[in-house]
Amino acid sequence: MATFLYRLGRLAFRRRRLVVMLWVAVLAAIGIGAMSAPGTSSGALSVPGTQSQRAIDLLQKEFPQASADGATARVVFEAPSGQKLTSAANKAEVESLVAKLEKSPQVSGVSDPFTGGLVSRSGSIAYAQVSYKVAEADVSGAAHAVQTDVVAQGEKAGLKVSLGGNAVKDKAASKAAELIGVGVAAVVLVITFGSMIAAGLPLLTAILGVAAAVLSVTLATHFFDLASASTTLALMLGLAVAIDYALFIVSRYRNEIRDGHEPEEACGRAVGTAGSAVVFAGLTVIVALSGLSVIGIAMLTSMGLASAFAVAVAVVIALTLLPAMLGFAGMRIMKGRMLTRRMKALERGEGESTGVRWARFVTRNPVKVLAVSVVGLALVAIPTMSLKMALNDDSGKPPGSTQRIAYDTLSKGFGPGFNGPLTVVVDARDSDDPKTAAKSAYSMLSKLDDVAAVRPPSFNESGDVALIGAVPKSAATSEATKDLVGEIRGHGTALHQDTGADLMVTGLTAVNIDVSTKLSDALVPYLAIVVGLALVLLLLVFRSIVIPLKAALGFLLSVVSTLGVLVAVFQWGWLKDLFGVDQTGPIVSLLPIVLIGVVFGLAMDYEVFLVSRMREEYVHGAEPTQAVVQGFRHSGRVVTAAAVIMVSVFSGFLLDDEALIKSIGLGLATAVFFDAFVVRMTIVPAVMTLLGHRSWTLPKWLDRVLPNVDVEGEKLRHALEAEQTDPAPEPVLAGVAAGVHAGSDGHGAAHAFTDFHASGDPDTPAPAQQAAGKARGLSRFKQRLARGGEAPAPADSTESEAPARRKLLKNPMRRS
């Protein structure tokens, strides 16, 4: 792979104008297609096979007028202080607003507060239930406009009007998080490289990559129904990994330049080595995100696949567009006008970096460091034992939003259960007496302790399916409501035995409970699948059994510690004011499983980038401890910068007003911090120091079976060294004359006719002469770099490239 990527990097560098033009054309084509795309949906959760979904399917068939899967909205009215809605003026105004809602586009029905018993006992609060014929994603702008007009008209009349339900359009999300993340990334890159050009290239290619990924996801909505969260997650991850991947390749390119290689050669070597690590790091992220599709929830599947596609685009951008941009930058990328005195000294090889000093400290005290790190993460993980999960509702909306106001107003007027009503379906098609079965279900519901109100059954046209409404006393996300749903379903067994009718519970609250249960049950199988597949990839990369196992165990430590932080902040309320959390509650059910998928991929990124450089040093002959230190010397600074960038990008989402987005931002930022700085840069070197050579051992039978993917570029290195150092001429066929050319030492050197330059010029120097000339030129180039000066870009090497290079790259194992 390293040899292929080497050739790809050089090709993109050489054909940079063509590569850039192709990417511009691709972006333009995707953008034109995305302009007419329908866009993402809100991503309503549904789990085929669950009881709540079966009930919805039955209602669609037997109660088509009810629009079981249609969007709903609650318009909540509150009288001015000291007044009641039942007064003549307020009642007339409410009835006028209800009439306006009935005429709204796509509306199938509106319940009147005064005739439907939807007025609180105090008479100051009421609500109208609005049902739409279409799903929430298809509610039109005209329907949303009517909702806005109703609020404005009611407030003009002195009433407090608020909207809740899934048919209400959320406020447009702020882009501050992305802007802050990009801004911090720019600062970190400038500090890391000390060069505006070197810092700008990762940002430029990352922005182009994210644009291509997001536009592609939007284009895909022509053919698939994708949740809106898909774009958000793809944007978040695509931006983070694209900057990181470009950062590693640019850093390696600059190192190769300092080693005295021409820009094109340096680009090829950087893509061949760091690019190989990027490919496998990207594959682990893609595997982890694609694994979300095995859970069987459409929303998670779309989120996982869209994000995996964004990561794939980031990898392709790093391997093609970035080398082309390096070609345009040329030697200007080495200009370090913003370097500190210490950074200049480090580039001259004087002194030791902080990463090297840290690595030496860890390798001198591996047992103590390992014990402190593991115990510390274990203590942070203790709150995880109290983890409770539920899906979010309007109680998690930002304070001051119309959904949050409606939720709080209904809770004040009717009790918290009114925000999570249950729909009980009695399927009596196989019963001898459907009416008796429905009556029995109604009586059973009325006797339950946690039921605040029960609406009498209503039948379909055939009279064999009944619909009963039940309002819990507890909030929709509470454990009490979850227990109530389980209790009602438990009574369904007795009802079936007595009457032959089936009882099912549905509604948004029941759907959320079923989805939470499904996610909890899928957590362990998903973890096993993702970790198993990624372990195979790491086994191929490092050709070691110990390192993949260590990587997986370190990841588990990161995840449970992160969950501990989330429970402490969002569930227990620790430091909630610091993070702007105004209300504590269960952790959103989607978060742990999304966190596992995302963090596992990112954790393996750091594992691949850091340990692959250690393996490269070990394969080249370094002792295990020395390889660890050298790995930090070359990759420690870059991994630190990458982790700081990711933490910054994810932390920006803490500024969002919505609790769900806050929890995702805090979870991802915390996980990256723990995994990069505690696990990968502390626990990993400590364990590898203790294990020594055993870290890199592989059973002989497995070594023979596994393909050698050469992620550290060993074959490539041998091929390039053979080209530069092997003086033996190519064999001359009998009867073919050999030319004699003067070497640099004045002696004649045989030169085979078959080794002429591609142009066929007989005066072209032999490869050995070229290598000697190149070595002299590059030594002067390295001396100038060491003095801190600016070296001119060497001549394009493509015109002087010898056929020997091409032969060796076609067959890197060839030896002359």
Side-chain angles (χ1 to χ4, degrees), residues 191-270:
I191 293 174
T192 302
F193 291 125
S195 164
M196 293 296 293
I197 295 177
L201 283 182
L203 284 176
L204 176 61
T205 55
I207 291 171
L208 292 175
V210 166
V214 171
L215 288 173
S216 298
V217 171
T218 305
L219 179 64
T221 59
H222 276 297
F223 315 101
F224 309 102
D225 183 20
L226 301 178
S228 57
S230 304
T231 304
T232 303
L233 191 59
L235 175 63
M236 185 189 302
L237 282 180
L239 184 63
V241 301
I243 293 175
D244 278 6
Y245 295 164
L247 168 64
F248 281 99
I249 292 178
V250 170
S251 177
R252 188 61 181 257
Y253 172 75
R254 283 162 57 93
N255 287 340
E256 297 292 342
I257 290 286
R258 291 191 191 99
D259 288 342
H261 297 292
E262 298 175 4
E264 183 179 331
E265 176 70 10
C267 183
R269 288 173 180 257

Coordinates of all heavy atoms in Angstrom, one line a residue, residues 191-270:
I191 N 0.3 27.6 15.7 CA 1.3 27.3 16.8 C 2.1 26.1 16.4 O 3.3 26.0 16.7 CB 0.6 27.2 18.1 CG1 -0.1 28.5 18.5 CG2 1.5 26.7 19.2 CD1 -1.0 28.4 19.7
T192 N 1.5 25.1 15.9 CA 2.1 23.8 15.6 C 3.2 24.0 14.5 O 4.3 23.5 14.7 CB 1.1 22.7 15.2 OG1 0.2 22.5 16.2 CG2 1.8 21.4 14.9
F193 N 2.8 24.7 13.4 CA 3.7 24.8 12.3 C 4.5 26.1 12.3 O 5.6 26.1 11.6 CB 2.9 24.6 11.0 CG 2.4 23.3 10.7 CD1 1.0 23.1 10.5 CD2 3.2 22.2 10.8 CE1 0.5 21.8 10.3 CE2 2.6 20.9 10.5 CZ 1.3 20.7 10.3
G194 N 4.0 27.1 12.9 CA 4.7 28.4 12.8 C 4.6 29.0 11.5 O 5.4 29.9 11.1
S195 N 3.7 28.5 10.6 CA 3.6 29.0 9.2 C 2.2 29.1 8.8 O 1.4 28.2 9.1 CB 4.3 28.0 8.3 OG 4.0 28.2 7.0
M196 N 1.8 30.2 8.3 CA 0.4 30.4 7.8 C 0.0 29.5 6.7 O -1.1 29.0 6.6 CB 0.2 31.9 7.4 CG 0.3 32.9 8.5 SD -0.9 32.7 9.8 CE -2.4 33.1 8.9
I197 N 1.0 29.3 5.8 CA 0.7 28.4 4.7 C 0.5 26.9 5.1 O -0.5 26.3 4.8 CB 1.8 28.4 3.6 CG1 1.9 29.8 3.0 CG2 1.6 27.4 2.5 CD1 3.0 30.0 2.0
A198 N 1.4 26.5 6.0 CA 1.3 25.1 6.5 C 0.0 24.9 7.3 O -0.6 23.9 7.4 CB 2.5 24.7 7.3
A199 N -0.4 26.0 8.1 CA -1.6 25.9 8.9 C -2.8 26.0 8.0 O -3.9 25.4 8.3 CB -1.6 27.0 9.9
G200 N -2.7 26.8 6.9 CA -3.9 27.0 6.1 C -4.3 25.8 5.2 O -5.5 25.6 5.0
L201 N -3.3 25.0 4.8 CA -3.7 23.8 3.9 C -4.6 22.9 4.6 O -5.6 22.4 4.0 CB -2.4 23.2 3.5 CG -1.6 23.9 2.4 CD1 -0.3 23.1 2.0 CD2 -2.4 24.1 1.2
P202 N -4.4 22.4 5.8 CA -5.3 21.5 6.5 C -6.7 22.1 6.6 O -7.7 21.4 6.4 CB -4.7 21.2 7.9 CG -3.3 21.4 7.7 CD -3.2 22.5 6.7
L203 N -6.8 23.4 6.9 CA -8.1 24.0 7.1 C -8.8 24.1 5.7 O -10.0 23.8 5.6 CB -8.0 25.4 7.6 CG -7.7 25.5 9.1 CD1 -7.4 27.0 9.5 CD2 -8.8 24.9 9.9
L204 N -8.1 24.5 4.7 CA -8.7 24.6 3.3 C -9.2 23.3 2.8 O -10.3 23.2 2.4 CB -7.7 25.2 2.4 CG -8.1 25.3 0.9 CD1 -9.3 26.2 0.8 CD2 -7.0 25.8 0.0
T205 N -8.4 22.2 2.9 CA -8.8 20.9 2.4 C -9.9 20.4 3.3 O -10.8 19.7 2.8 CB -7.6 19.9 2.4 OG1 -7.0 19.9 3.7 CG2 -6.6 20.4 1.4
A206 N -9.9 20.6 4.6 CA -11.0 20.2 5.5 C -12.3 20.8 5.1 O -13.4 20.1 5.1 CB -10.6 20.4 6.9
I207 N -12.3 22.1 4.9 CA -13.5 22.8 4.5 C -14.1 22.3 3.2 O -15.3 22.1 3.0 CB -13.3 24.3 4.5 CG1 -13.0 24.9 5.9 CG2 -14.5 25.1 3.9 CD1 -12.5 26.3 5.9
L208 N -13.2 22.1 2.2 CA -13.7 21.5 0.9 C -14.2 20.1 1.1 O -15.2 19.8 0.5 CB -12.5 21.6 -0.1 CG -12.0 22.9 -0.5 CD1 -10.8 22.8 -1.4 CD2 -13.1 23.7 -1.3
G209 N -13.5 19.3 1.9 CA -14.0 18.0 2.2 C -15.3 17.9 2.8 O -16.2 17.1 2.5
V210 N -15.5 18.8 3.9 CA -16.8 18.8 4.6 C -17.9 19.3 3.6 O -19.0 18.8 3.6 CB -16.7 19.7 5.8 CG1 -18.1 20.1 6.3 CG2 -15.9 19.1 6.9
A211 N -17.6 20.3 2.8 CA -18.6 20.8 1.8 C -19.0 19.7 0.9 O -20.2 19.5 0.6 CB -18.0 22.0 1.0
A212 N -18.0 18.9 0.4 CA -18.4 17.8 -0.5 C -19.2 16.7 0.2 O -20.2 16.2 -0.4 CB -17.1 17.1 -1.0
A213 N -18.9 16.4 1.5 CA -19.6 15.4 2.2 C -21.1 15.9 2.5 O -22.0 15.1 2.3 CB -18.9 15.1 3.5
V214 N -21.2 17.1 3.0 CA -22.6 17.6 3.4 C -23.4 17.7 2.1 O -24.6 17.4 2.1 CB -22.4 18.9 4.1 CG1 -23.8 19.5 4.3 CG2 -21.8 18.7 5.5
L215 N -22.9 18.2 1.0 CA -23.6 18.4 -0.2 C -24.0 17.0 -0.7 O -25.1 16.8 -1.3 CB -22.8 19.1 -1.3 CG -22.7 20.6 -1.0 CD1 -21.7 21.2 -2.0 CD2 -24.0 21.3 -1.1
S216 N -23.1 16.0 -0.6 CA -23.5 14.6 -1.0 C -24.6 14.0 -0.2 O -25.5 13.3 -0.7 CB -22.2 13.7 -0.9 OG -21.2 14.2 -1.8
V217 N -24.6 14.3 1.1 CA -25.6 13.8 2.0 C -27.0 14.4 1.6 O -28.0 13.8 1.5 CB -25.3 14.1 3.5 CG1 -26.5 13.8 4.3 CG2 -24.1 13.2 3.9
T218 N -26.9 15.7 1.3 CA -28.1 16.4 0.9 C -28.6 15.9 -0.5 O -29.8 15.7 -0.7 CB -27.9 17.9 0.7 OG1 -27.4 18.4 1.9 CG2 -29.1 18.7 0.4
L219 N -27.7 15.6 -1.4 CA -28.0 15.0 -2.7 C -28.7 13.6 -2.5 O -29.6 13.3 -3.3 CB -26.8 14.9 -3.6 CG -26.9 14.3 -4.9 CD1 -27.8 15.2 -5.8 CD2 -25.5 14.1 -5.6
A220 N -28.2 12.9 -1.5 CA -28.7 11.5 -1.3 C -30.2 11.5 -0.9 O -30.9 10.5 -1.0 CB -27.9 10.8 -0.3
T221 N -30.7 12.7 -0.4 CA -32.1 12.7 0.0 C -33.0 12.6 -1.2 O -34.3 12.5 -1.0 CB -32.4 14.0 0.8 OG1 -32.1 15.2 0.0 CG2 -31.6 14.1 2.1
H222 N -32.5 12.7 -2.4 CA -33.3 12.4 -3.6 C -33.8 11.0 -3.6 O -34.8 10.6 -4.1 CB -32.5 12.7 -4.9 CG -32.5 14.1 -5.3 ND1 -33.6 14.8 -5.7 CD2 -31.4 15.0 -5.4 CE1 -33.3 16.0 -6.1 NE2 -32.0 16.1 -5.9
F223 N -33.0 10.1 -2.9 CA -33.2 8.7 -3.0 C -33.5 8.0 -1.7 O -34.1 7.0 -1.6 CB -32.0 8.0 -3.6 CG -31.4 8.7 -4.8 CD1 -30.3 9.5 -4.8 CD2 -32.0 8.6 -6.1 CE1 -29.8 10.2 -5.9 CE2 -31.5 9.2 -7.2 CZ -30.4 10.0 -7.1
F224 N -33.0 8.7 -0.6 CA -33.2 8.1 0.8 C -33.8 9.1 1.7 O -33.6 10.3 1.5 CB -31.9 7.6 1.3 CG -31.1 6.7 0.4 CD1 -30.0 7.2 -0.3 CD2 -31.5 5.4 0.2 CE1 -29.3 6.3 -1.2 CE2 -30.8 4.5 -0.6 CZ -29.7 5.0 -1.3
D225 N -34.5 8.6 2.7 CA -35.0 9.5 3.8 C -33.9 9.5 4.9 O -33.8 8.6 5.6 CB -36.3 9.0 4.3 CG -36.9 9.9 5.4 OD1 -36.6 11.1 5.4 OD2 -37.8 9.4 6.2
L226 N -33.3 10.7 5.0 CA -32.2 10.8 6.0 C -32.6 11.8 7.1 O -33.2 12.8 6.8 CB -30.9 11.3 5.3 CG -30.3 10.4 4.2 CD1 -29.1 11.1 3.6 CD2 -30.0 9.0 4.7
A227 N -32.2 11.4 8.3 CA -32.5 12.3 9.5 C -31.7 13.6 9.4 O -30.5 13.5 8.9 CB -32.3 11.5 10.8
S228 N -32.2 14.7 9.9 CA -31.4 15.9 9.9 C -30.2 15.8 10.8 O -29.2 16.5 10.5 CB -32.3 17.0 10.5 OG -32.8 16.7 11.8
A229 N -30.2 14.9 11.8 CA -29.0 14.7 12.6 C -27.9 14.1 11.8 O -26.7 14.2 12.3 CB -29.4 13.8 13.8
S230 N -28.2 13.5 10.7 CA -27.1 12.9 9.9 C -26.2 14.0 9.4 O -25.0 13.8 9.4 CB -27.8 12.2 8.7 OG -28.7 11.2 9.1
T231 N -26.7 15.1 8.9 CA -25.9 16.2 8.4 C -25.1 16.8 9.6 O -23.9 17.1 9.4 CB -26.8 17.3 7.8 OG1 -27.6 16.7 6.8 CG2 -25.9 18.4 7.2
T232 N -25.7 17.0 10.8 CA -25.0 17.6 11.9 C -23.8 16.7 12.3 O -22.7 17.2 12.5 CB -25.9 17.7 13.1 OG1 -27.1 18.5 12.7 CG2 -25.2 18.4 14.3
L233 N -24.0 15.4 12.4 CA -22.9 14.5 12.8 C -21.9 14.4 11.7 O -20.7 14.4 12.0 CB -23.5 13.1 13.2 CG -22.5 12.1 13.8 CD1 -22.0 12.7 15.2 CD2 -23.2 10.8 14.1
A234 N -22.3 14.4 10.5 CA -21.3 14.3 9.4 C -20.5 15.6 9.3 O -19.3 15.5 9.1 CB -22.1 14.1 8.0
L235 N -21.1 16.7 9.6 CA -20.4 18.0 9.6 C -19.3 18.0 10.8 O -18.2 18.3 10.6 CB -21.3 19.1 9.7 CG -20.7 20.5 9.9 CD1 -19.9 20.9 8.7 CD2 -21.8 21.6 10.2
M236 N -19.8 17.6 11.9 CA -19.0 17.6 13.1 C -17.7 16.7 13.0 O -16.6 17.1 13.2 CB -19.8 17.1 14.3 CG -19.1 17.2 15.7 SD -20.0 16.4 17.0 CE -21.6 17.3 17.0
L237 N -18.0 15.5 12.5 CA -16.9 14.5 12.4 C -16.0 14.8 11.2 O -14.8 14.6 11.2 CB -17.5 13.1 12.3 CG -17.9 12.4 13.6 CD1 -18.5 11.1 13.4 CD2 -16.8 12.4 14.6
G238 N -16.7 15.1 10.1 CA -15.9 15.4 8.9 C -14.9 16.5 9.1 O -13.8 16.4 8.6
L239 N -15.3 17.5 9.7 CA -14.4 18.7 10.0 C -13.3 18.3 10.9 O -12.1 18.6 10.6 CB -15.2 19.8 10.7 CG -14.5 21.1 10.9 CD1 -14.0 21.7 9.6 CD2 -15.4 22.1 11.7
A240 N -13.6 17.5 11.9 CA -12.5 17.1 12.9 C -11.5 16.2 12.2 O -10.3 16.4 12.3 CB -13.1 16.5 14.1
V241 N -12.0 15.1 11.6 CA -11.0 14.1 11.1 C -10.3 14.7 9.8 O -9.1 14.4 9.6 CB -11.7 12.8 10.7 CG1 -12.3 12.2 12.0 CG2 -12.7 12.9 9.6
A242 N -10.9 15.5 9.0 CA -10.3 16.1 7.8 C -9.1 16.9 8.2 O -8.0 16.9 7.6 CB -11.3 16.8 7.0
I243 N -9.3 17.8 9.3 CA -8.2 18.6 9.7 C -7.0 17.7 10.3 O -5.9 17.9 10.0 CB -8.6 19.6 10.8 CG1 -9.6 20.6 10.2 CG2 -7.5 20.3 11.5 CD1 -10.2 21.5 11.2
D244 N -7.4 16.7 11.0 CA -6.4 15.8 11.6 C -5.6 15.0 10.5 O -4.4 15.0 10.6 CB -7.1 14.8 12.5 CG -7.3 15.4 13.9 OD1 -7.1 16.6 14.1 OD2 -7.8 14.7 14.8
Y245 N -6.3 14.5 9.6 CA -5.6 13.7 8.5 C -4.6 14.6 7.7 O -3.5 14.2 7.4 CB -6.6 13.0 7.6 CG -7.5 12.0 8.2 CD1 -8.7 11.5 7.6 CD2 -7.2 11.5 9.5 CE1 -9.5 10.6 8.2 CE2 -8.0 10.5 10.1 CZ -9.1 10.1 9.5 OH -9.9 9.1 10.1
A246 N -5.1 15.8 7.4 CA -4.2 16.7 6.6 C -3.1 17.1 7.5 O -1.9 17.3 7.0 CB -5.0 17.9 6.2
L247 N -3.3 17.3 8.8 CA -2.3 17.7 9.7 C -1.1 16.7 9.7 O 0.1 17.1 9.7 CB -2.9 17.9 11.1 CG -1.9 18.1 12.3 CD1 -1.1 19.3 12.2 CD2 -2.7 18.1 13.6
F248 N -1.5 15.4 9.8 CA -0.4 14.4 9.8 C 0.4 14.3 8.6 O 1.6 14.2 8.6 CB -1.1 13.0 10.1 CG -1.4 12.8 11.6 CD1 -2.7 13.0 12.0 CD2 -0.4 12.5 12.5 CE1 -3.0 12.9 13.3 CE2 -0.8 12.3 13.8 CZ -2.0 12.5 14.3
I249 N -0.3 14.5 7.4 CA 0.5 14.4 6.2 C 1.3 15.6 5.9 O 2.5 15.5 5.5 CB -0.5 14.2 5.0 CG1 -1.2 12.8 5.1 CG2 0.2 14.4 3.6 CD1 -2.2 12.5 4.0
V250 N 0.8 16.8 6.3 CA 1.6 18.0 6.1 C 2.8 18.0 7.0 O 3.9 18.4 6.7 CB 0.7 19.3 6.4 CG1 1.6 20.5 6.5 CG2 -0.3 19.5 5.3
S251 N 2.6 17.5 8.3 CA 3.7 17.4 9.2 C 4.8 16.5 8.7 O 6.0 16.8 8.7 CB 3.2 16.9 10.6 OG 4.3 16.8 11.5
R252 N 4.4 15.3 8.1 CA 5.4 14.4 7.6 C 6.1 14.9 6.4 O 7.3 14.7 6.2 CB 4.7 13.1 7.3 CG 5.6 11.9 6.9 CD 6.6 11.6 8.0 NE 7.5 10.5 7.6 CZ 7.4 9.2 8.0 NH1 6.4 8.9 8.9 NH2 8.2 8.3 7.7
Y253 N 5.3 15.7 5.6 CA 5.9 16.3 4.4 C 7.0 17.3 4.8 O 8.1 17.3 4.2 CB 4.8 17.0 3.6 CG 5.3 17.9 2.4 CD1 5.7 17.3 1.3 CD2 5.3 19.3 2.6 CE1 6.1 18.1 0.2 CE2 5.7 20.1 1.5 CZ 6.2 19.5 0.3 OH 6.6 20.3 -0.7
R254 N 6.8 18.1 5.8 CA 7.8 19.0 6.2 C 9.0 18.3 6.8 O 10.1 18.8 6.6 CB 7.2 20.0 7.3 CG 6.3 21.1 6.7 CD 5.4 21.7 7.7 NE 6.1 22.3 8.8 CZ 6.5 23.5 8.9 NH1 6.3 24.4 7.9 NH2 7.1 24.0 10.0
N255 N 8.8 17.2 7.5 CA 9.9 16.4 8.0 C 10.8 15.9 6.8 O 12.0 15.8 6.9 CB 9.4 15.3 8.9 CG 8.9 15.7 10.2 OD1 9.3 16.8 10.6 ND2 8.1 14.9 10.9
E256 N 10.1 15.4 5.8 CA 10.8 14.9 4.6 C 11.6 16.0 3.9 O 12.7 15.7 3.5 CB 9.9 14.2 3.7 CG 9.1 13.0 4.2 CD 10.0 11.8 4.5 OE1 11.2 11.8 3.9 OE2 9.6 10.9 5.2
I257 N 11.1 17.2 3.9 CA 11.8 18.3 3.3 C 13.0 18.6 4.1 O 14.1 18.8 3.6 CB 10.9 19.5 3.2 CG1 9.8 19.4 2.2 CG2 11.7 20.8 2.9 CD1 10.2 19.5 0.8
R258 N 12.9 18.5 5.5 CA 14.0 18.8 6.3 C 15.1 17.7 6.2 O 16.3 18.0 6.4 CB 13.6 18.9 7.8 CG 12.8 20.1 8.1 CD 12.6 20.3 9.6 NE 11.6 21.3 9.9 CZ 10.3 21.0 10.2 NH1 9.9 19.8 10.3 NH2 9.5 22.0 10.4
D259 N 14.7 16.5 5.8 CA 15.6 15.4 5.6 C 16.4 15.6 4.3 O 17.2 14.7 3.9 CB 14.9 14.1 5.6 CG 14.5 13.7 7.0 OD1 15.1 14.3 8.0 OD2 13.7 12.8 7.2
G260 N 16.0 16.6 3.5 CA 16.8 16.9 2.3 C 16.2 16.4 1.0 O 16.8 16.4 -0.1
H261 N 14.9 16.0 1.0 CA 14.3 15.5 -0.2 C 13.6 16.6 -1.0 O 13.2 17.6 -0.4 CB 13.2 14.4 0.1 CG 13.7 13.2 0.8 ND1 14.5 12.3 0.2 CD2 13.5 12.8 2.1 CE1 14.8 11.3 1.0 NE2 14.3 11.6 2.2
E262 N 13.6 16.5 -2.3 CA 12.9 17.4 -3.1 C 11.4 17.4 -2.8 O 10.9 16.4 -2.3 CB 13.1 17.1 -4.6 CG 14.6 17.1 -5.1 CD 14.7 16.6 -6.5 OE1 13.6 16.3 -7.1 OE2 15.8 16.5 -7.0
P263 N 10.7 18.5 -3.1 CA 9.3 18.6 -2.7 C 8.5 17.5 -3.3 O 7.6 16.9 -2.5 CB 8.9 20.0 -3.3 CG 10.1 20.8 -3.3 CD 11.2 19.8 -3.6
E264 N 8.6 17.1 -4.5 CA 7.8 16.0 -5.1 C 8.1 14.7 -4.4 O 7.2 13.9 -4.1 CB 8.0 15.9 -6.6 CG 7.1 14.8 -7.2 CD 7.3 14.7 -8.7 OE1 7.7 15.7 -9.3 OE2 7.1 13.6 -9.2
E265 N 9.4 14.4 -4.2 CA 9.8 13.2 -3.5 C 9.3 13.2 -2.1 O 8.8 12.2 -1.6 CB 11.3 13.1 -3.5 CG 11.9 11.9 -2.8 CD 11.6 10.6 -3.4 OE1 11.1 10.6 -4.6 OE2 11.8 9.5 -2.8
A266 N 9.4 14.4 -1.4 CA 8.9 14.5 0.0 C 7.4 14.2 0.0 O 6.9 13.6 1.0 CB 9.3 15.9 0.5
C267 N 6.7 14.7 -0.9 CA 5.2 14.5 -1.0 C 4.9 13.1 -1.1 O 4.0 12.5 -0.5 CB 4.6 15.4 -2.1 SG 2.8 15.2 -2.2
G268 N 5.6 12.4 -2.1 CA 5.4 11.0 -2.3 C 5.7 10.2 -1.0 O 4.9 9.3 -0.6
R269 N 6.8 10.5 -0.3 CA 7.1 9.7 0.9 C 6.1 10.0 2.0 O 5.8 9.1 2.8 CB 8.6 10.1 1.3 CG 9.7 9.6 0.4 CD 11.0 10.1 0.8 NE 12.1 9.6 0.0 CZ 12.9 8.6 0.4 NH1 12.9 8.1 1.6 NH2 13.9 8.2 -0.5
A270 N 5.7 11.3 2.1 CA 4.7 11.6 3.2 C 3.4 10.9 3.0 O 2.8 10.3 3.9 CB 4.5 13.1 3.2

